[in-house]
Structure formats: C-alpha cells, structure tokens
Amino acid sequence: MDPKQLEKYSRQILFAGIGEEGQERLLRSSVVLVGCGALGTVTANLLVRSGVGRLRIIDRDFVESSNLQRQTLFDESDARDALPKAVAAERHLRAVNSDAAIEPLVADLNSQNAVELLSGFPLILDGTDNFETRFLINDAAVCLGVPWIYAAAVGSYGVTLTILPGKTACLACLLESSGKSNGFGVEETCDTVGVLNSAAGIVASIEAAEATKILAGKTDQLDTRLTSCDVWVGRFHSIRVERNPNCRACSRRELLYLEGDAQPHVTMCGRDSVQIHERRRNLDLSELARRLGRAAEDLRQNAFLLHFRIQPYEMTVFPDGRAVVKGTRDPAVARSLYSRYIGA
Ligand SMILES: [Zn+2]
C-alpha cells in the first residue's frame, strides 16, 4: 500500500481483525452482487468504501421514486431519468471510491447466463428480492464451489446466512427440507407489506461484515449461523442450521434452478407486474418507439430501456427483448401485450 492508501483505510487497518495484511487482501479482492436494491445498495456502498478492488453489479431494474426511501445509493435525478440501477450505482460508487473497478451489468440473472456472469469471483452476494433468483444463486454457488451470502428483508424483519457450499448448510438445506417455500410465507413481499429502511440496512450491514471477513481472508471468523432480527420489536436471533445430508442441491447436486427446470419464462414481479424473461433478441428501441407512435402514451426512452403506457398497463422494454408489464398479474395478458406491441 502507498502512503495515501495507508491514510485512506487507516481506521480499518487499526482494527485488529483486519490489519495491514487484511486490507491488502481487500484491495486485491473481487465480488459479484446480484440485485442492487435495498440490500444491494447498502452492501455495495460499504464494500466499495472498505476498499474492495472489483465489484460486478448485476441488476435488471431501473430506479423509481418509491425506491429512494431505502435504496441509499440513488437520488431523485436517477429516478427522474429512469436510469438502470446498475448504471446509477456505478456512477455514485465511482464518486465514493475511484480506486474500485465497478462493472455494472444491466441483465436478468437466469439459468442460461448465471454460471457465466457469476464465475471468476470468490464471493457472490444476494441483493435480490425474490426466492427464484436466490435458489438460482444457490445452485450456481454449489456448481462453482464458491461462498455466497443470503440476505432478505421485508416489513421490519431481516435475515441473513453465510453459505459455504459443501461445508455449511445451503439455502436448500435451510428452506426445502422444512417444507416451506421461503422464510416469509407466500404473499409477504416488500410490495405487499412494505419494508423499513432500517431493517434492510441492518441485514445488509451484517452481510457486508461477513463479506469483508471472506475477502480479507479471515474465514475462521465467519458466523455461519442464521441471523435474524426485527427492528420494530427489537428482537435478535441467531441459530445454527445443520446441513441436510440428503440435500437436493449441496449433497445430491440436482441443480434444478441452474438447469432451467424450475424457472418459468414468465414470472410475477412485484404486486401487479409480470416479467417476460429475456428472449435473446436485439431490439432497436428507437425503431420500436417510432412504431408504437400514438398507440402508446408517456413514451420515455434512454439507451437502456423504453417505457410507455397502454392504458391501463405500463410496459418497460429492454434491448435484449425482456419486458416488464405493470398493471396485471395474468401472464396471458402480459404475453398478449408483448406480442401486440413488441412482436412475437
Ligand atoms: Zn444444501
């Protein structure tokens, strides 16, 4: 480290758990973050400030005004410009620490691209908001043999677990063996019951602390218990999770989510939106905007997306052919709108 770096990271070097050697490792480290929302913005911010060398951010959404309450890397101009979250995050993070190499990827992690986008990194971080993607990350982490950190927050509640495939319980050990689909119940999402920024912030901070241990080479210090907290009632829990010797993922290596058997082409996304997954198309958004003409209202376009209204629906289309249809829960309606306005 040069004298400027010694000064810049001095408070972390002074901390006995990291020291100069741990800081040097952090500066050479790399990590991939999937999802840059309430959890991802906090972990990315903390890790880039701590000196992580390279951060890849994968996110499929764009910034909306309802995100600003908890997604601490974004501001009003990002929402006004409907910037993709990965791109907006990169801009803010570069201003925070220009030493870090930030790689924004505006993409939907799916069974076809997961191994390619996640490989080459010694750690994967969960910043997602859905269990379909988390199980995909879990299967990819098992396949690649790299650690990942599960984290989730809804309402005033948050939960996190550090997963070392083959050594500690994986997400399938935790959730599939108990017969539950996830830890929260079926209908509870941030779109139905809301979320406190403090709940997301605390869980993301624990996730960042665990990530720092891994990236600084202090894996003996990891806490591999399932940690949960409720910031409203003031309750903290930490429990040991045993591996399931017959686990579908980390024992039998039936990586269903990675093989694509468990991922539909159409998924629910939020309370009243349907996502039509990427079709590996190469759409010319300007041409599409021209074609839509007066059929669409409130057309907004930038290099990354085209957003418009067909009353009572809203559609956001990305250059790879992926689309989010807001205003319906019915996949058939979404498919029909897609074929009518974008083309099959
Ligand atoms: Zn397992």
Side-chain angles (χ1 to χ4, degrees), residues 34 39 43 123-135 137-138 141 147-154 157-164 169-172 174-175 181-185 203-204 206-208 210-211 214 223 225-228 241:
V34 185
L39 300 164
T43 47
L123 174 64
I124 304 166
L125 296 179
D126 174 14
T128 68
D129 58 359
N130 67 87
F131 279 90
E132 187 185 314
T133 310
R134 289 190 183 109
F135 276 113
I137 295 172
N138 187 69
W148 75 282
I149 304 177
Y150 156 56
V154 66
Y157 177 77
V159 61
T160 180
L161 176 69
T162 299
I163 293 168
L164 309 172
C170 80
L171 192 68
L174 174 68
L175 297 178
S181 61
N182 59 53
F184 297 104
V203 159
I206 297 170
E207 184 179 23
E210 289 288 287
I214 292 175
D223 178 4
R225 290 170 299 180
L226 179 77
T227 301
S228 62
V241 185

Side-chain angles (χ1 to χ4, degrees), residues 138 142 163 166 168-174 176-177 242-252:
N138 187 69
V142 168
I163 293 168
T168 67
C170 80
L171 192 68
C173 292
L174 174 68
E176 291 181 351
S177 19
E242 296 301 327
R243 277 190 75 192
N244 171 5
N246 194 32
C247 173
R248 184 265 307 162
C250 69
S251 292
R252 302 205 309 268

Side-chain angles (χ1 to χ4, degrees), residues 63-116:
V63 182
E64 296 175 273
S65 67
S66 65
N67 301 150
L68 301 182
Q69 163 255 3
R70 65 197 177 283
Q71 303 187 13
T72 55
L73 273 182
F74 307 134
D75 61 28
E76 290 179 351
S77 70
D78 299 326
R80 219 167 20 243
D81 297 342
L83 276 185
K85 290 182 179 180
V87 173
E90 187 233 4
R91 290 183 185 176
H92 291 285
L93 291 168
R94 214 189 304 148
V96 160
N97 190 348
S98 56
D99 293 344
I102 314 289
E103 289 175 26
L105 286 184
V106 184
D108 181 31
L109 194 80
N110 58 41
S111 58
Q112 283 96 52
N113 63 19
V115 167
E116 182 194 337

